[in-house]
Amino acid sequence: MTALAAAVTIVNGGCVPMGLTSTEEEPEEGPLSRSAIAVRFGDLLSDPFNREVLMNGMQLTHPPHPDTLALFFSDSVQDCSLPLIGRGPSPLATISATYAFWQSALFIPPELNRPGLIDLRDFRITTYLAVWHPSHGGGSALGDGTWGALGGEEDKTLEIVSSDASSVSVKLEWRTPPWRIEFNGVPYKPDLDLGGDYTATYCGAPPPSIPPSPGRAIPGAALAAPPGGPTPDPDALHLFLGSGAESCADPWSSIACTGATRVTLSLPPAYQKPGILDLTDPAIAASFIHSWSTDCSATELVSGVFDGGTIEILSIDASGVSCRVYGSHTLLDAGAFDADGLYTASSCP
């Protein structure tokens, strides 16, 4: 356990001010501004000092993709040049401020950065939350004030409403769990409602748009049976989605030790039209397989079926299928799996 100056910082790998329940006097208020800023993560890392502050202050083992959309929200003023409030020279993993504030950040990977609803439980999204309350005068927490797995199982969503070259408008639904911790024996319950509508001004150019994730659409009559599996329905259209789904010649090939993912499902004739389907519908037999890393020295290949979620068929024709997966967050013994995103499954010849 490491002693802290009354900071609670949470990392997962609002439009309303913070309310704090405490037995002590309320601290001096900071410069309230209800601010939101957005930045391409790679631009933050271009400055060596800023990179060190971000990696240490957020306790990141690996930085997100450079084209990740980084969104910062706070009830105080935020600076594009150094977004993490109160972070500065060593020790980098602590906060220094004379006023109370909260700050949250969401790091949205390129494959999810599109208009629409985003499930913040997705393991690919890094989240950060800092609550600073100087009147508590010290305390203890895990590591340097970091609580892992902030994502949790509580429903939290971000809707990207619209964006242009100068800003991105979002709607955040995120109320923190009812934590109860102690600083120097004094009960302390952060009671935060971070949700609300924000317009985040870009610090520099926005991240570039990327194409949908790849996939293949193969008629059952042209598809061989999977190893040890049943013969595919010849009337169904079978979809192979994800980074391990690009081979028409051998769509069932192993993805072990590749770090890839593959989602498979079949569309019976009645389902081969635009519409929203439940991923748990037995008629489509949706399943996934995921290789956690390229390290073949460990058992890292997991597979299963979805706990929930939907797949929306956006368009379907002779060229292929355009679809969107949402709410696919599924718990595994090794962690969690998500297949959310936009896909274009091109037809195999």
Side-chain angles (χ1 to χ4, degrees), residues 1-340:
M1 305 293 279
T2 304
L4 299 177
V8 181
T9 306
I10 304 96
V11 177
N12 180 40
C15 269
V16 295
M18 171 184 69
L20 296 173
T21 302
S22 170
T23 59
E24 296 193 6
E25 295 181 359
E26 291 299 318
E28 171 190 353
E29 290 189 355
L32 296 180
S33 183
R34 292 189 181 187
S35 62
I37 57 177
V39 62
R40 176 182 174 272
F41 192 80
D43 293 342
L44 291 174
L45 299 185
S46 61
D47 180 89
F49 176 76
N50 211 353
R51 176 188 174 94
E52 187 176 7
V53 170
L54 287 164
M55 295 297 291
N56 285 275
M58 295 182 56
Q59 296 198 358
L60 297 176
T61 304
H62 303 288
H65 188 282
D67 288 332
T68 290
L69 172 63
L71 295 169
F72 295 85
F73 310 96
S74 182
D75 64 348
S76 190
V77 175
Q78 300 180 105
D79 184 353
C80 281
S81 64
L82 190 62
L84 293 191
I85 298 175
R87 303 289 185 178
S90 185
L92 295 173
T94 61
I95 296 174
S96 176
T98 60
Y99 56 87
F101 70 87
W102 61 258
Q103 184 182 36
S104 64
L106 302 173
F107 295 81
I108 310 300
E111 62 268 27
L112 298 178
N113 181 17
R114 294 182 175 88
L117 205 58
I118 299 171
D119 187 344
L120 294 180
R121 297 175 302 171
D122 195 315
F123 76 98
R124 294 168 292 181
I125 297 173
T126 299
T127 60
Y128 167 87
L129 174 61
V131 180
W132 182 247
H133 202 298
S135 71
H136 283 276
S140 63
L142 298 177
D144 288 313
T146 298
W147 294 2
L150 176 62
E153 290 310 302
E154 296 79 14
D155 290 339
K156 292 179 283 291
T157 61
L158 177 78
E159 180 183 2
I160 298 180
V161 178
S162 63
S163 63
D164 55 32
S166 60
S167 65
V168 54
S169 296
V170 301
K171 180 185 292 291
L172 179 62
E173 296 288 344
W174 181 5
R175 182 171 177 80
T176 60
W179 301 313
R180 185 175 179 82
I181 59 177
E182 290 189 356
F183 283 125
N184 291 341
V186 178
Y188 176 82
K189 180 184 176 183
D191 184 16
L192 305 177
D193 189 349
L194 312 179
D197 298 324
Y198 296 87
T199 296
T201 302
Y202 277 115
C203 302
S209 299
I210 65 166
S213 297
R216 293 294 186 183
I218 307 176
L223 181 63
T231 300
D233 178 356
D235 297 323
L237 183 64
H238 297 262
L239 301 186
F240 296 77
L241 309 175
S243 54
E246 299 183 50
S247 171
C248 285
D250 187 13
W252 302 110
S253 61
S254 174
I255 63 170
C257 310
T258 63
T261 64
R262 178 185 294 147
V263 173
T264 59
L265 59 101
S266 60
L267 299 177
Y271 287 28
Q272 295 174 24
K273 59 184 179 181
I276 298 177
L277 306 173
D278 195 321
L279 285 173
T280 62
D281 185 341
I284 68 173
S287 64
F288 65 85
I289 186 168
H290 179 37
S291 170
W292 285 104
S293 71
T294 57
D295 182 3
C296 291
S297 64
T299 303
E300 50 76 51
L301 196 66
V302 296
S303 60
V305 296
F306 295 98
D307 293 338
T310 61
I311 178 168
E312 181 179 6
I313 307 301
L314 301 172
S315 66
I316 181 168
D317 55 30
S319 66
V321 179
S322 175
C323 58
R324 183 191 303 274
V325 175
Y326 173 74
S328 63
H329 178 84
T330 298
L331 289 177
L332 305 170
D333 291 340
F337 175 77
D338 302 81
D340 286 12

